[in-house]
Amino acid sequence: MPTPDAAAPIVEVKGLRKRYGTNEVLKGIDLDVKAGEVIAIIGKSGSGKSTLLRCVNGLEAFQDGTLHVQGRPLEHANAKAMRALRQHVGMIFQSFNLFPHLSVGKNVMLAPTLVKTTDKAAAEAQAKALLLRVGLADKFDAWPDQLSGGQQQRVAIARALAMEPSVMLCDEITSALDPELVGEVLRVVESLAEEGMTLMMVTHEMNFARKVSDRVLFMHAGRIHEMGPPEQLFDAPQTAELKQFLSALH
Amino acid sequence: MQLDFLAVLAEWPALLRGALVTLVLTAVATVGGLALGVACGWARAWGARPLAYVAGAYVELIRNTPFIVQLFFVFFGLPSLGVKLTPEIASVLAMVINLGAYAAEIVRAGIEGTPRGQIEAARSLAMNEWQVFMRVVLPPALGRVWPAMVSQIIIVMLGSAVCGQIATAELSYQANLIQSRNFRAFEAFIVATLVYLLLSVALRHALHWAGRRFVFGR
Amino acid sequence: MVEFTLWDIARNLLLAARWTVLLSLIAFVGGGLVGLSLLLARVAKWPGAERYVGAYVQLFQGTPLLMQLFLAYFGLALLGWDVSAWVAAALALTLYTSAFLAEIWRGCVAAIPKGQWEAAESLALNFGEKMRHVVGPQALRIALAPTVGFLVQVIKGTALASVIGFIELTKAGTMISNATFQPFKVYACVALMYFALCWPVSAWSRSIERKLRRAHA
């Protein structure tokens, strides 16, 4: 197995096509993501943005094209390969998906103890450190339903970080939050970006995308319609669709 | 009409022994039946088609035949295949098979109610399917259906009264022995019935506590 | 050594199965009528009804049906009446059914939104009219599936009547098994006959439930 070249893209998408039945939702996606890059994906609902993200960690299977993460291709039929992939690619969901029957600390510790067979003490120490990092050091023994939405999402981030991924996928992670709770989550994501984590985020938070991302992708009807640095996309949109999308936001 | 309860209550050691046997039978049947029920519930909800059919046939067969017939089949019928069982083993086996079928349906309802996001989150954390099922899906699912499961376990405990018919030394058998000796049939069965009532109340509380403590608890 | 064919066995079992069906129907209909009165007493909030009916239900749901059958059999004998196993079984199963149906139906009535009661009240309907025209029909729709489902429990319950000597399918099975020394075959037949009686009823109950859910969705 060749070791991934440091300059090679960490996520490489070529000609990706995905159908639901007869409905084609991704019509040929080409994308290279470099290590440490922060990509924001914007677009109308139904444009395929979440579907593209979910292809990267295999929650959605695709019919045509190739997808490589760290030089390794996605093999949907191979459960072992998919699990190996998911140890390097973490995901945060719009609806948090914390496990309600486990405390916050146990939520964070579960996967490392089961999958990486970390011993309990080490996993606990790691969990405490991660919770401190997301600003929830005192919530180790709390239960998910005792936390606010913003707190739950930060726990979800800590839970994903516990697996020490190389890439983090964020699927509209603030869309289900009350407005006053959005900031605390975005601050954590910003700190991840500053530390050099490769991020792919589907988001509606345009100001945040402008501030934090290296590249913005505008998706429309299953294709990457426009792509470029945030200033270019937000200040000088080229296509009518992007212009219309941006004006509808104000 | 002269009722003599003292003649029956004087035999309390025998009744106590019978009640204990009833509880032990129920305890073993609960563990076995739950395990079988989880396996079959999983098979019906998410297993491959042939497996789901087999589990489905088993569940429908047991749920549409009386327990006493299942018991007689196990105790009297199986020996013709060369399998000889003691009354106790036959009773436990029949109870496990019986509870397993009802538990399968209860578990199936529980796991089918699992929010999709939970499974996606667990898979995204690189957990394998066994870990996803045992650690993330099953505990909350059992928590959701625990009252129905407790009721079913109590039904099996009460149904075990029939095992006295194949000479298992449980509570109804002891009551029968007592009345055959002192001819106080009505009193003996009243006392036994009251003991069953007590057992079902106590068992309900114990199972609710045990569920929270060991199975799905906080 | 007389040779018994499968048909010999089956024929005798089928004859006995008539009594299973008859006892089931008597218990179901009788239990339904008693259960309905208990339900109405509870819903009408007669003094003490909630407490006594509640205790009655707890008693039948918390004790083995076998004990209930024994008590009916020996209890009636104590009162000086020489009863056959038939009468004792019919009595015990009827009361057993009445307790379970009363409880099932109580749940169905409780599922009717309070607003329905209040609307009927505002229209100056008396209790009988409320039940007959407003709450009853709605509760009946909800109750249909679980009530039909309980018939399966009654049919299975008749098997226990064999223990007090009532000759129905299970008792016939035991007798034939002893006579033919073929317990495996005989009890398999008995099981299949109960299955043939119960499974269609179970399937019917499920189809009623599906139709109800579709109508509401």
Side-chain angles (χ1 to χ4, degrees):
Chain A
M1 182 76 71
T3 47
D5 171 6
I10 197 169
V11 177
E12 214 180 325
V13 184
K14 280 203 190 22
L16 194 75
R17 285 178 183 276
K18 173 168 176 73
R19 277 191 311 275
Y20 283 117
T22 51
N23 180 23
E24 200 175 32
V25 291
L26 292 176
K27 298 186 173 123
I29 305 286
D30 292 294
L31 176 66
D32 285 345
V33 181
K34 292 199 288 291
E37 226 188 329
V38 177
I39 307 274
I41 307 176
I42 63 175
K44 281 197 326 229
S45 62
S47 55
K49 6 184 249 298
S50 283
T51 310
L52 174 60
L53 209 70
R54 287 158 65 90
C55 282
V56 177
N57 80 337
L59 285 181
E60 302 284 354
F62 50 88
Q63 283 79 34
D64 269 310
T66 63
L67 201 159
H68 288 76
V69 176
Q70 290 182 310
R72 284 189 278 270
L74 242 71
E75 298 167 58
H76 293 113
N78 184 342
K80 204 157 163 239
M82 293 310 288
R83 284 200 302 280
L85 167 76
R86 287 162 181 164
Q87 294 188 44
H88 299 289
V89 179
M91 185 148 197
I92 320 288
F93 299 84
Q94 183 174 347
S95 47
F96 334 133
N97 291 331
L98 292 185
F99 304 134
H101 57 293
L102 298 174
S103 68
V104 162
K106 292 236 163 63
N107 257 274
V108 179
M109 287 166 63
L110 183 68
T113 43
L114 288 179
V115 178
K116 296 196 154 150
T117 59
T118 314
D119 77 82
K120 201 158 165 252
E124 196 174 320
Q126 181 196 36
K128 289 196 165 129
L130 285 170
L131 286 171
L132 176 64
R133 197 183 168 323
V134 301
L136 292 169
D138 56 334
K139 299 288 185 194
F140 187 86
D141 290 311
W143 294 93
D145 62 5
Q146 294 170 330
L147 304 182
S148 73
Q151 290 170 326
Q152 289 188 54
Q153 195 62 296
R154 286 187 276 151
V155 172
I157 295 175
R159 182 175 67 173
L161 287 174
M163 296 297 281
E164 294 168 328
S166 319
V167 182
M168 281 278 261
L169 308 174
C170 300
D171 191 357
E172 302 208 32
I173 65 177
T174 55
S175 296
L177 295 177
D178 292 333
E180 65 271 16
L181 301 173
V182 168
E184 62 193 60
V185 173
L186 293 182
R187 271 192 290 280
V188 173
V189 177
E190 193 176 349
S191 69
L192 288 179
E194 277 161 14
E195 285 173 10
M197 173 73 79
T198 312
L199 286 170
M200 293 177 71
M201 327 184 284
V202 172
T203 185
H204 293 300
E205 299 285 334
M206 301 303 158
N207 292 328
F208 182 70
R210 181 200 283 265
K211 187 176 173 204
V212 163
S213 49
D214 300 310
R215 245 195 304 170
V216 176
L217 260 65
F218 170 65
M219 283 194 69
H220 181 75
R223 272 189 252 270
I224 298 179
H225 216 59
E226 276 194 57
M227 181 161 69
E231 316 72 56
Q232 182 191 309
L233 244 78
F234 289 124
D235 298 332
Q238 300 289 308
T239 58
E241 288 82 2
L242 181 53
K243 287 183 190 152
Q244 188 180 45
F245 176 74
L246 289 173
S247 64
L249 292 172
H250 299 303
Chain B
M1 179 176 76
Q2 288 244 16
L3 288 181
D4 180 9
F5 281 97
L6 286 178
V8 171
L9 292 171
E11 306 275 0
W12 66 267
L15 289 171
L16 184 64
R17 273 200 311 276
L20 282 172
V21 172
T22 293
L23 284 175
V24 170
L25 288 175
T26 306
V28 179
T30 299
V31 172
L34 267 180
L36 186 56
V38 167
C40 292
W42 172 85
R44 286 196 89 180
W46 295 332
R49 194 98 64 85
L51 201 59
Y53 275 155
V54 170
Y58 153 66
V59 167
E60 287 302 309
L61 185 66
I62 298 297
R63 283 162 52 104
N64 288 291
T65 51
F67 175 63
I68 190 173
V69 174
Q70 295 160 15
L71 181 69
F72 284 176
F73 184 81
V74 168
F75 187 66
F76 295 117
L78 287 188
S80 358
L81 294 181
V83 184
K84 276 217 77 190
L85 302 164
T86 66
E88 291 74 27
I89 303 282
S91 299
V92 170
L93 187 59
M95 284 166 78
V96 167
I97 294 172
N98 188 278
L99 179 59
Y102 289 90
E105 281 303 273
I106 296 171
V107 168
R108 174 160 85 125
I111 65 183
E112 280 177 349
T114 304
R116 205 151 161 268
Q118 292 287 302
I119 301 176
E120 289 186 345
R123 285 196 184 139
S124 301
L125 289 164
M127 289 163 67
N128 66 33
E129 291 304 301
W130 172 264
Q131 291 165 339
V132 173
F133 183 70
M134 294 299 288
R135 300 299 213 105
V136 173
V137 172
L138 195 58
L142 286 177
R144 277 192 289 275
V145 299
W146 198 242
M149 190 67 84
V150 170
S151 290
Q152 196 58 48
I153 294 172
I154 300 214
I155 288 173
V156 167
M157 189 270 289
L158 295 176
S160 72
V162 159
C163 299
Q165 297 303 307
I166 59 168
T168 312
E170 46 72 62
L171 182 54
S172 76
Y173 178 80
Q174 295 290 1
N176 230 330
L177 270 186
I178 290 171
Q179 69 93 13
S180 71
R181 279 198 297 266
N182 63 20
F183 301 104
R184 294 286 163 194
F186 190 71
E187 296 91 321
F189 290 126
I190 289 263
V191 172
T193 301
L194 288 175
V195 176
Y196 272 113
L197 190 58
L198 233 98
L199 285 179
S200 58
V201 171
L203 193 58
R204 191 172 287 272
H205 283 109
L207 285 172
H208 276 297
W209 170 85
R212 273 193 300 272
R213 174 82 176 72
F214 297 111
V215 179
F216 56 86
R218 310 246 302 199
Chain C
M1 170 73 174
V2 186
E3 265 303 313
F4 294 97
T5 66
L6 190 58
W7 176 237
D8 285 326
I9 295 171
R11 192 167 27 101
N12 283 291
L13 289 177
L14 280 171
L15 288 172
R18 293 176 300 166
W19 304 115
T20 293
V21 174
L22 188 58
L23 181 60
S24 305
L25 287 174
I26 290 174
F28 192 63
V29 172
L33 291 169
V34 176
L36 188 60
S37 346
L38 292 172
L39 171 77
L40 290 173
R42 239 175 161 174
V43 174
K45 298 207 181 15
W46 282 6
E50 180 62 43
R51 204 172 352 126
Y52 288 124
V53 176
Y56 178 85
V57 168
Q58 288 255 41
L59 198 65
F60 280 94
Q61 291 191 335
T63 57
L65 176 57
L66 186 66
M67 293 292 114
Q68 295 161 22
L69 282 161
F70 280 153
L71 286 174
Y73 189 65
F74 292 108
L76 289 176
L78 262 186
L79 292 173
W81 297 333
D82 188 14
V83 287
S84 63
W86 236 116
V87 175
L91 176 67
L93 272 169
T94 298
L95 295 180
Y96 170 83
T97 303
S98 72
F100 277 83
L101 285 180
E103 188 63 11
I104 290 173
W105 293 339
R106 179 179 78 103
C108 299
V109 171
I112 309 286
K114 194 151 172 266
Q116 293 291 306
W117 288 94
E118 292 174 345
E121 184 93 8
S122 324
L123 290 166
L125 298 177
N126 67 28
F127 178 73
E129 289 158 350
K130 270 186 230 153
M131 285 307 292
R132 178 145 148 47
H133 297 286
V134 178
V135 178
Q138 297 184 58
L140 185 71
R141 266 188 99 219
I142 305 176
L144 210 51
T147 303
V148 170
F150 190 71
L151 178 56
V152 175
Q153 303 305 323
V154 176
I155 298 173
K156 293 193 289 182
T158 61
L160 290 182
S162 65
V163 178
I164 57 171
F166 174 57
I167 313 271
E168 42 62 71
L169 184 48
T170 304
K171 184 86 177 124
T174 307
M175 291 176 358
I176 294 173
S177 160
N178 291 335
T180 63
F181 297 100
Q182 295 183 53
F184 186 84
K185 215 187 266 189
V186 172
Y187 285 119
C189 280
V190 170
L192 286 172
M193 284 186 193
Y194 276 109
F195 188 80
L197 282 173
C198 293
W199 190 81
V201 180
S202 297
W204 184 30
S205 167
R206 274 197 296 266
S207 91
I208 298 174
E209 201 187 333
R210 266 198 307 270
K211 287 198 196 115
L212 186 69
R213 244 185 291 135
R214 233 180 290 141
H216 272 246

